[in-house]
Amino acid sequence: MMRFSTLLTTVAAATLLSACTTYETETASASAPAAAAEEMAMYDVNAYPLIDREALFGNPERAQGRISPDGKWLSWIAPSNGVMNVWVAPRGNMAAAKVVTNDTHRGISNHQWTVDSEYLLYLKDNDGDEKAHVYAVDPATGATRDLTPYDGVSAQLQGVSRDRPGTLLIGMNDRNEQLHDLYLVDIATGARTLVLENPGYAGIVTDNEYTPRMAAMMQPDGSLKIVWLNDELMPGEVFADVPSEDLLNTNMSGFNRSNDVVYMTDSRGIDVAVLKSVNLTTGEEKIIASGTKADINGILSDINSYEPIAYSSNYLKNEWTALTPGAQADLDFLQSRLAGEVAVTARTDDDRLWVVAQSAAEAPGVYHLYDRQAKTLEPWFAGRPALDGAPLVPMQPLELKAGDGRTLVSYLTLPPGSDKDGDGRPEQAVPMMLWVHGGPWARDSYGYNTVHQWLANRGYAVLSVNYRGSTGFGKAHTNAAVGEFAGLMHQDLIDAVDWAVRSGIAQEDKVAIGGGSYGGYATLIGVSHTPDKFACGVDIVGPSSLATLIESFPEYWKPFLAGTWFRYVGDPSDPEARAAMIERSAISRVDDISVPLLVGQGGNDPRVTKAEADTLVAAMQVKGLPVTYINFPDEGHGFQKPENRLAFFAAMEGFLGTCLGGRVQPIGDDFEGSSAEILAGAQYVEGLGAVGSD
């Protein structure tokens, strides 16, 4: 299995990490603040139970259902003593379920089977530092081996191939912090063998036998050359030139079984990326499928030939299209029995059994076992059964228009009881949260969204906008963000707020802005560059200075910066560019901030370091501006520990209750077990002073 430049999108996005953010407990009811109760009674939000925060932000009962390739084992992630761990059970005997990992701290957020069904694999870092190690677990005994036991290493799982059972291809940067060398690792013994010492490649293409075939070389202008590797693994002829404008929309996805055809999504020469095949012997290229309004974003491959049999494209909603009669029959069967969106998360080697995840905006994920031969679909588990019967509400996909005519795919969620005639608009304008996605090279999508459901339940409309720069809608939409940080990217958000006010959705004086990572940056820009538009802001791990953000990026990001951050924002080593970057940052306009701000930070964040929050908060305090600052020293780029999630979102709920007047569940004991350090502004959130001090 090939891995090509998987870091290009991951590194570029710098997106808020939110592992395991939907959870279970019983629902409870509470009263809105007295000042807001009379106003909200007109649309009866108080007639609906207040969903307990722990049901939303605590650990799920189960998550990530998988089946072993031989079909003998089922696996999933679930709490053990309150911490997410990997569980297994023989298929057909869930009563024999047992936990096979023993994490007692932040929990395990990912897992998969080896191709021979002998081991379970997972990656785990140290308190969010993103220096992940790869672990292998024996499902029978629970014996665990660190396959990358090297200090300071950032390991990347580059290949798990059916054609090389018993081995993994792992990238490690223990020799050079900037570069990941490729190693063949024996899973049973942990022994590693060097496959390629990386001389400076941005990415390496390996086939199903783990043989390095091509390398990606970043160019000074931000473009990428994909070159063949010769027998000495040195650069040879050019396979493909990828211009900088295509960098985030063009990628290699895999080889066929015989390693003589490569599949890729490609936007070169067009706007919306297509799925194509390239015959490596003849050079013949064939377009397999074309997107319309959205890039092709998912591929389902034949279990034996590795040829694509279906693809997905996500415009307003994610949709699958079959390429073969067999795939069409499977999709028809699943879609006739499962409402909402479906995803195949695991398959057996004989392709008889599939694990299928089903989700919708009002229905958190449910996992099923699909027998393709018997044509049976058996429910397996619901991730959050405590939310069954909770007053979850629809999410509306929208096409909004920016001031310059650009289409912005967006998603709106309204409070329960506010839209009695079902026309997608509340009977009266309500307070609104503009919730901005991270990245910016990422996107918002339709489906169950914890923050949307939580805030809607508290009485707020929630609007999320795929502003220019968001990915998945063609390269023109992505590239329209070049040079537009704090410019047209932010204007898209303002245009969406203005639409919501004009449409009678949002109360003009009660609009908040919030988000994580880039969403945190957008929040800071909102309250500093357009302070008259927002009543308050919630910044989660957002940078206050674009210049210092880029200067503090991890070393292993540096080979990618020319094609992403330098191109879109600028190179801070250039004095003129650096000055412009500071101007497009909140730190340059602290004096203009006039509304309350809540800041959440991970003390161990390698992407947006704690210094970004420290500097901003200190400047606000000097000016006497209202800012509440909560740091979590055992978190990175987002909050993974449920105790920390509960603490922050409890504080955020109280903060918004004061600012926007929505319903508030008291903080209570939601800070219990959290590492939260309340470093400023406890007095601005009711109940926060009881759990910490300035």
Side-chain angles (χ1 to χ4, degrees):
M1 179 179 298
M2 179 197 68
R3 292 290 184 271
F4 166 68
S5 291
T6 53
L7 276 183
L8 283 177
T9 302
T10 304
V11 168
T15 305
L16 173 67
L17 305 178
S18 53
C20 304
T21 53
T22 47
Y23 317 94
E24 47 61 55
T25 60
E26 296 183 33
T27 58
S29 60
S31 299
E38 181 178 351
E39 181 182 16
M40 291 191 172
M42 294 183 64
Y43 61 88
D44 297 328
V45 70
N46 290 305
Y48 296 85
L50 198 75
I51 304 173
D52 191 279
R53 268 192 306 272
E54 191 172 356
L56 295 160
F57 295 106
N59 281 329
E61 184 172 296
R62 295 179 191 170
Q64 234 180 70
R66 302 288 185 263
I67 190 169
S68 60
D70 62 9
K72 295 179 179 179
W73 294 93
L74 297 176
S75 64
W76 61 96
I77 295 177
S80 175
N81 296 319
V83 180
M84 297 297 282
N85 275 280
V86 181
W87 292 68
V88 300
R91 183 168 62 89
N93 186 12
M94 287 293 288
K98 62 180 181 179
V99 61
V100 294
T101 59
N102 187 34
D103 191 89
T104 59
H105 186 39
R106 296 181 78 239
I108 295 169
S109 60
N110 62 85
H111 86 293
Q112 68 183 89
W113 285 91
T114 57
V115 297
D116 55 9
S117 304
E118 293 294 324
Y119 297 93
L120 288 152
L121 304 172
Y122 67 91
L123 279 75
K124 192 173 184 302
D125 67 7
N126 181 39
D127 286 345
D129 66 359
E130 299 188 21
K131 294 179 179 179
H133 286 223
V134 181
Y135 296 88
V137 183
D138 185 324
T141 66
T144 301
R145 178 188 298 277
D146 183 354
L147 298 177
T148 57
Y150 307 100
D151 292 340
V153 68
S154 165
Q156 301 168 357
L157 190 55
Q158 298 279 351
V160 184
S161 175
R162 295 173 69 214
D163 299 315
R164 293 295 300 271
T167 62
L168 302 173
L169 191 66
I170 299 179
M172 302 183 221
N173 65 340
D174 52 320
R175 178 186 60 87
N176 182 329
E177 193 175 356
Q178 282 196 19
L179 303 172
H180 284 75
D181 301 327
L182 288 186
Y183 290 91
L184 186 69
V185 177
D186 186 286
I187 303 172
T189 67
R192 68 173 183 172
T193 304
L194 182 66
V195 174
L196 184 148
E197 185 175 287
N198 190 345
Y201 302 140
I204 301 163
V205 179
T206 58
D207 63 21
N208 301 304
E209 294 287 344
Y210 298 154
T211 302
R213 301 287 295 276
M214 307 173 201
M217 303 176 66
M218 187 66 70
Q219 304 302 301
D221 64 356
S223 66
L224 196 72
K225 285 188 181 295
I226 306 173
V227 299
W228 289 100
L229 294 177
N230 60 27
D231 292 342
E232 288 75 38
L233 301 181
M234 297 302 293
E237 296 182 3
V238 174
F239 169 75
D241 281 302
V242 182
S244 58
E245 60 265 27
D246 294 285
L247 190 63
L248 295 172
N249 302 76
T250 298
N251 211 339
M252 316 274 277
S253 59
F255 284 84
N256 67 349
R257 190 66 178 268
S258 57
N259 295 314
D260 57 7
V261 173
V262 70
Y263 304 103
M264 61 188 299
T265 52
D266 195 347
S267 65
R268 291 174 298 165
I270 53 175
D271 181 22
V272 176
V274 301
L275 173 62
K276 70 192 303 185
S277 65
V278 181
N279 187 302
L280 300 181
T281 303
T282 66
E284 181 184 11
E285 298 185 5
K286 291 183 179 179
I287 294 178
I288 300 171
S290 300
T292 51
K293 293 183 176 181
D295 298 327
I296 290 171
N297 69 321
I299 301 171
L300 185 67
S301 299
D302 182 86
I303 201 74
N304 292 313
S305 69
Y306 305 164
E307 297 174 3
I309 59 174
Y311 66 92
S312 64
S313 183
N314 189 349
Y315 187 61
L316 294 174
K317 295 183 178 181
N318 197 48
E319 298 179 350
W320 282 93
T321 301
L323 295 170
T324 67
Q328 187 68 65
D330 287 319
L331 290 175
D332 288 346
F333 178 85
L334 293 173
Q335 292 170 348
S336 70
R337 287 159 175 79
L338 299 176
E341 297 182 347
V342 298
V344 179
T345 67
R347 301 154 73 182
T348 55
D349 267 340
D350 60 6
D351 214 23
R352 174 171 177 170
L353 300 176
W354 289 4
V355 176
V356 180
Q358 168 200 14
S359 67
E362 300 145 276
V366 179
Y367 285 81
H368 304 261
L369 292 175
Y370 170 41
D371 188 323
R372 298 178 63 238
Q373 181 175 315
K375 283 293 185 281
T376 59
L377 189 66
E378 175 188 349
W380 180 10
F381 67 81
R384 305 156 194 90
L387 290 178
D388 290 349
L392 302 181
V393 289
M395 172 185 278
Q396 302 174 46
L398 305 168
E399 291 180 297
L400 305 184
K401 290 293 184 180
D404 62 358
R406 178 167 296 281
T407 299
L408 308 173
V409 171
S410 304
Y411 299 92
L412 175 68
T413 304
L414 296 174
S418 65
D419 179 19
K420 297 189 178 193
D421 60 5
D423 67 351
R425 302 292 182 269
E427 305 308 313
Q428 67 174 60
V430 298
M432 188 179 85
M433 166 61 83
L434 178 68
W435 190 248
V436 186
H437 73 71
W441 303 293
R443 62 161 293 166
D444 281 306
S445 296
Y446 171 83
Y448 175 79
N449 184 298
T450 303
V451 170
H452 273 240
Q453 292 294 341
W454 167 54
L455 293 180
N457 182 260
R458 271 46 176 173
Y460 310 121
V462 190
L463 180 63
S464 292
V465 180
N466 283 302
Y467 49 85
R468 68 194 67 204
S470 302
T471 51
F473 303 98
K475 70 182 182 186
H477 191 72
T478 305
N479 284 282
V482 173
E484 295 298 341
F485 277 56
L488 290 177
M489 295 171 75
H490 185 63
Q491 187 59 47
D492 287 345
L493 300 177
I494 299 301
D495 290 344
V497 169
D498 290 344
W499 167 84
V501 171
R502 288 196 310 271
S503 301
I505 295 167
Q507 297 176 14
E508 186 171 14
D509 61 344
K510 288 190 176 181
V511 177
I513 182 172
S517 196
Y518 178 87
Y521 166 80
T523 296
L524 298 180
I525 293 299
V527 299
S528 63
H529 286 54
T530 53
D532 58 320
K533 284 292 182 180
F534 300 104
C536 55
V538 178
D539 157 35
I540 305 174
V541 296
S544 59
S545 165
L546 291 173
T548 56
L549 168 75
I550 295 175
E551 288 169 343
S552 64
F553 277 159
E555 286 296 310
Y556 53 87
W557 283 30
K558 292 182 178 178
F560 308 96
L561 295 182
T564 51
W565 287 98
F566 289 175
R567 178 169 179 261
Y568 280 78
V569 179
D571 183 348
S573 66
D574 178 334
E576 185 175 340
R578 195 177 198 281
M581 294 162 73
I582 295 294
E583 173 60 27
R584 287 176 280 149
S585 302
I587 198 63
S588 68
R589 297 198 186 183
V590 172
D591 288 350
D592 293 327
I593 300 175
S594 58
V595 298
L597 181 67
L598 172 63
V599 176
Q601 179 65 40
N604 220 20
D605 190 345
R607 302 186 181 204
V608 180
T609 64
K610 183 173 176 289
E612 294 292 320
D614 289 346
T615 302
L616 177 77
V617 171
M620 291 184 67
Q621 288 181 306
V622 167
K623 301 293 183 180
L625 300 172
V627 59
T628 302
Y629 179 21
I630 306 176
N631 177 60
F632 299 90
D634 56 352
E635 294 286 6
H637 200 58
F639 312 138
Q640 180 170 320
K641 290 184 67 176
E643 297 87 353
N644 293 336
R645 287 194 302 269
L646 284 169
F648 183 80
F649 290 113
M652 178 174 164
E653 187 167 320
F655 175 82
L656 293 177
T658 300
C659 170
L660 300 182
R663 303 198 294 178
V664 176
Q665 177 184 347
I667 287 176
D669 61 0
D670 279 3
F671 274 72
E672 186 175 337
S674 169
S675 67
E677 299 172 341
I678 304 171
L679 301 180
Q683 70 270 26
Y684 299 120
V685 178
E686 185 175 353
L688 195 57
V691 295
S693 58
D694 291 354

